[in-house]
Amino acid sequence: MIWKTGLAVAVAAALGACAQLIPPELPPNPPVTSVKWMDQNWSDTDRWWYHHETQGTSTLPIPYTWFMALEQPRLWLFGDAPMLSDSDYLSRFGFIPGAKGLEYADAAALRSQGYPGVAGAATYEVEDFAGNPGGLPVGFAVTKAYEDPVTGKQLPDQLGFTCAACHTGQMVYNGVNLRIDGGPAITELTKFRQSLGLALVYTEFLEARFNRFAMRVLKDAYNDQTAAALRAELGAVLKGLQGGLSLYAESSKHDVAEGFGRLDALNRIGNTVFVEDLVGAPNFDARVNVAALTAPVNYPHIWTTSWFKWVQYDASIEQPMVRNAGESMGVAARVNLSNPDRPLYASSVAVKPIAEMEELVAGADPYPGRAFKGLNAPKWPGDLFGEPDAAQVAQGEVLYQRHCQSCHLPPVDSAEFWDPTYWTTPNDAGQRYLKLPEVEVSYIGTDPAQANVLPTRKVQVPEYLGIDPNIVCDGKPEGVVTETLFGLALGVAVQKTVDSWYDSHDVPPAERVKMNGYRPNCLQVKEVYKARPLNGIWATAPFLHNGAVPDLEALLLPAAERPAQFCLGDRTFDPQRVGYVRTCAKGTTVIDTGIPGNLNTGHSFEDGPRGNGVIGPKLNPEEREALLAYLKTL
């Protein structure tokens, strides 16, 4: 799993040198006097369900009860160390505090976390919904006990991430913590993995701490024998994590640091599915598929995305189910790829909730009413940040039409946006999808690392998995392969995993088509980046696909004039520059834009011929301010 990799590194480092027993430095939480969730067309009950419903993941490689029993990896001279699950502590990694409760949280719990009080009945089935009994952050979800599809062993309740962990944004301004559903997270997952690993190490080697941990986990069942068994289990987990380190010993030397708000999602998913999920496969060495993490991306915002013809930064995936189930597999849903003696592609992926989450984000077909009806983009909060100047907005609108609209399309609230030329013809379900411009990397000039992953990365797979790349996009089988492009192999593996769930749950064909979003599992491999509408763009810093530009003001400059270095991790918002403050407080991530993978080149406003990164022309300060003012209104 992705998390096993990070924990193995942290554990090995901690055991290897005393200096590494010191936990990573974290930025302090900015002072907050009030909390506000943006009104984005969701009721409180829908929002809270989305924040904590499981996707079937076991992202953290320890049981839920263990996580809740661990203490922070710090030494205290007096008294017990505070708990790892403490909300203020987890906030320092960028996680958003969640409302505590079972089933649907009560109104008081929701109000305490700034939910806007939008009424709405529970709209999704809750019989298998564990709620958020531990009061964990947004995006943490309890996956109830299930049978491991690889071993058949019954697993206790697990703790995993849901899509809300990476696609929920927040910012702080004048003491107000503004929270944004569907926005890019500003979390630091590497430091969180390191801290979790160290918490396990401290628990293993500090007797008093282990005893407290054992009493919390075992409760009334605590005695010498059960504690000894728990200690042996903890030791086995640490040993297994250490053993996983060898998989990435060489590739990690070439990693590009991700830090706050960024993740090399594609390569991590590839390592999870085609390395870690294949460990133990007969007559197969999964190490051949290891890839370095060289293409970090800013977590994309997801409003409106459901109605794009192609999604992902590189415009590579069409079907919503494959996109979302693949994400679930990438954050460690368990799937059997390694044991041919058990049902292959059986998994813990929560296919039904995943389909329901997509429905909630998408809403009803927007085209007939010429308006998006699911998760809406957040509107600029003028009461908090100040209203844009009307004269500047008018000037900026002209500049947008002249310099931005050809790629980013007309504003979504304009009649022109709904012109049929921008949309596909209706499919069998009567639905149209937005055709986004796909801009070649050679033209846009932004960092090519992410766009190069699918065209260049290959993986090897055991023959028994039946990977036939020709079956995607409703194609006809032409033969099983043992080596192919990573993207094609992933598309087939995810489709087979979802089909396995459909088969085991006797889902009829028509319902499968609906749950798949009425779209086939089509993939395309191009060296392009898509240009999407800019509704809510003000809430999506940092900018460019790799987060290499801190704010919109810098994005409107010639590339050579953008900050060569800045830091991510301080959640304080700058409404003038429209992005997070650039200052490098302790514990934040330094983004060096001279490193491949971090390049801030391209999408440059400068005089000269168009292409080779220039989308020009150079804007004077008045024009930049006007365009910024207009972008705030989208």
Side-chain angles (χ1 to χ4, degrees):
M1 299 177 188
I2 293 172
W3 288 79
K4 286 184 178 179
T5 306
L7 280 171
V9 173
V11 170
L15 294 177
C18 291
Q20 295 301 320
L21 289 172
I22 300 173
E25 189 173 49
L26 299 169
N29 286 320
V32 170
T33 56
S34 64
V35 176
K36 178 183 178 181
W37 285 93
M38 299 294 288
D39 184 357
Q40 296 175 254
N41 198 41
W42 278 359
S43 71
D44 284 352
T45 49
D46 282 343
R47 170 180 273 125
W48 190 74
W49 173 85
Y50 181 80
H51 289 169
H52 299 292
E53 172 63 292
T54 183
Q55 290 181 281
T57 59
S58 301
T59 315
L60 279 64
I62 56 174
Y64 169 71
T65 55
W66 285 29
F67 182 82
M68 298 304 298
L70 286 171
E71 297 171 0
Q72 294 173 25
R74 294 188 286 170
L75 298 177
W76 290 71
L77 296 178
F78 304 100
D80 301 345
M83 302 306 294
L84 185 68
S85 60
D86 177 75
S87 181
D88 287 341
Y89 180 65
L90 293 179
S91 293
R92 296 182 66 189
F93 298 97
F95 293 115
I96 300 172
K100 182 177 182 178
L102 295 169
E103 293 189 356
Y104 287 90
D106 60 41
L110 294 172
R111 284 196 301 272
S112 73
Q113 292 303 329
Y115 284 65
V118 178
T123 56
Y124 295 97
E125 297 178 16
V126 298
E127 69 272 14
D128 293 324
F129 179 39
N132 188 26
L136 292 174
V138 169
F140 282 63
V142 178
T143 301
K144 293 183 178 180
Y146 64 89
E147 183 181 277
D148 188 328
V150 180
T151 66
K153 176 184 176 182
Q154 184 70 15
L155 299 172
D157 287 355
Q158 305 285 293
L159 186 58
F161 281 173
T162 185
C163 45
C166 297
H167 302 290
T168 310
Q170 62 169 323
M171 53 189 64
V172 177
Y173 183 73
N174 282 350
V176 178
N177 182 201
L178 201 63
R179 300 175 180 176
I180 301 159
D181 279 303
I186 196 70
T187 51
E188 220 293 10
L189 299 185
T190 297
K191 289 186 176 182
F192 178 58
R193 287 191 295 268
Q194 292 170 345
S195 297
L196 177 56
L198 286 172
L200 291 169
V201 172
Y202 280 34
T203 303
E204 166 76 0
F205 290 102
L206 299 176
E207 188 68 23
R209 183 172 292 213
F210 174 79
N211 289 337
R212 295 192 297 269
F213 169 77
M215 286 187 284
R216 294 183 186 116
V217 171
L218 297 170
K219 295 183 170 57
D220 293 342
Y222 177 87
N223 57 46
D224 290 346
Q225 290 74 32
T226 56
L230 180 62
R231 182 183 288 278
E233 190 175 357
L234 174 59
V237 167
L238 288 171
K239 184 178 180 181
L241 294 174
Q242 285 182 279
L245 178 62
S246 62
L247 289 173
Y248 300 96
E250 185 60 34
S251 67
S252 62
K253 299 175 184 178
H254 308 286
D255 288 352
V256 176
E258 297 158 320
F260 280 95
R262 306 194 315 161
L263 198 74
D264 185 351
L266 268 180
N267 279 319
R268 283 191 176 275
I269 289 174
N271 286 347
T272 299
V273 175
F274 295 111
V275 180
E276 293 159 34
D277 286 347
L278 283 171
V279 169
N283 303 312
F284 186 81
D285 186 353
R287 290 175 295 182
V288 71
N289 291 331
V290 171
L293 307 177
T294 57
V297 297
N298 181 37
Y299 297 113
H301 50 293
I302 61 173
W303 51 79
T304 317
T305 298
S306 299
W307 298 101
F308 297 165
K309 167 67 174 174
W310 295 100
V311 296
Q312 307 296 62
Y313 281 116
D314 56 1
S316 56
I317 299 178
E318 180 173 12
Q319 188 187 99
M321 178 56 72
V322 165
R323 163 168 46 92
N324 295 328
E327 175 262 326
S328 176
M329 292 165 65
V331 291
R334 296 180 187 262
V335 57
N336 180 26
L337 304 182
S338 61
N339 186 355
D341 294 329
R342 292 184 55 79
L344 291 171
Y345 296 104
S347 75
S348 65
V349 176
V351 172
K352 188 172 186 293
I354 285 173
E356 292 173 334
M357 289 177 186
E358 182 67 22
E359 289 178 357
L360 182 62
V361 173
D365 186 350
Y367 195 83
R370 307 300 194 267
F372 292 104
K373 301 172 184 178
L375 177 65
N376 286 345
K379 296 296 185 182
W380 177 265
D383 58 337
L384 180 63
F385 296 153
E387 295 291 352
D389 179 80
Q392 286 185 325
V393 169
Q395 181 186 1
E397 183 176 13
V398 174
L399 292 168
Y400 179 87
Q401 292 171 350
R402 187 179 301 160
H403 304 308
C404 308
Q405 185 165 302
S406 61
C407 284
H408 292 290
L409 306 184
V412 300
D413 58 357
S414 67
E416 187 180 357
F417 177 81
W418 302 96
D419 188 290
T421 58
Y422 295 119
W423 296 78
T424 64
T425 56
N427 62 9
D428 291 343
Q431 294 182 345
R432 298 171 182 258
Y433 306 105
L434 190 61
K435 297 183 293 186
L436 300 181
E438 298 167 11
V439 187
E440 292 184 1
V441 174
S442 60
Y443 181 89
I444 196 65
T446 51
D447 191 297
Q450 202 270 349
N452 286 340
V453 173
L454 295 187
T456 61
R457 184 176 180 180
K458 292 185 176 182
V459 293
Q460 296 182 25
V461 289
E463 186 174 4
Y464 64 74
L465 287 179
I467 300 293
D468 182 351
N470 300 289
I471 69 170
V472 300
C473 209
D474 296 333
K476 296 180 179 180
E478 293 186 12
V480 170
V481 300
T482 56
E483 182 176 12
T484 188
L485 286 174
F486 153 58
L488 296 176
L490 182 64
V492 174
V494 177
Q495 179 176 313
K496 285 177 172 287
T497 300
V498 173
D499 287 344
S500 173
W501 189 93
Y502 288 152
D503 292 343
S504 65
H505 290 77
D506 297 320
V507 179
E511 183 66 14
R512 298 185 188 205
V513 172
K514 178 178 181 294
M515 293 175 70
N516 286 342
Y518 298 109
R519 277 158 276 184
N521 175 24
C522 289
L523 308 170
Q524 61 178 12
V525 177
K526 298 179 179 180
E527 294 185 40
V528 300
Y529 292 120
K530 74 177 191 302
R532 60 178 294 164
L534 299 185
N535 49 328
I537 191 65
W538 67 269
T540 64
F543 297 96
L544 296 184
H545 71 276
N546 60 348
V549 177
D551 44 59
L552 280 179
E553 180 185 76
L555 189 63
L556 300 180
L557 290 169
E561 297 179 21
R562 295 168 183 161
Q565 287 190 346
F566 63 95
C567 286
L568 293 174
D570 188 329
R571 300 191 294 277
T572 305
F573 191 71
D574 182 341
Q576 278 67 51
R577 286 176 165 164
V578 192
Y580 297 103
V581 295
R582 305 174 183 179
T583 52
C584 293
K586 69 173 185 178
T588 55
T589 303
V590 177
I591 303 298
D592 181 350
T593 64
I595 298 173
N598 287 351
L599 302 181
N600 66 359
T601 56
H603 198 280
S604 182
F605 288 89
E606 57 184 277
D607 294 329
R610 300 296 183 266
N612 294 317
V614 178
I615 63 170
K618 186 174 183 178
L619 305 172
N620 63 42
E622 179 185 342
E623 290 172 324
R624 284 197 299 272
E625 289 182 14
L627 189 49
L628 272 177
Y630 180 69
L631 292 174
K632 294 174 184 179
T633 69
L634 295 179

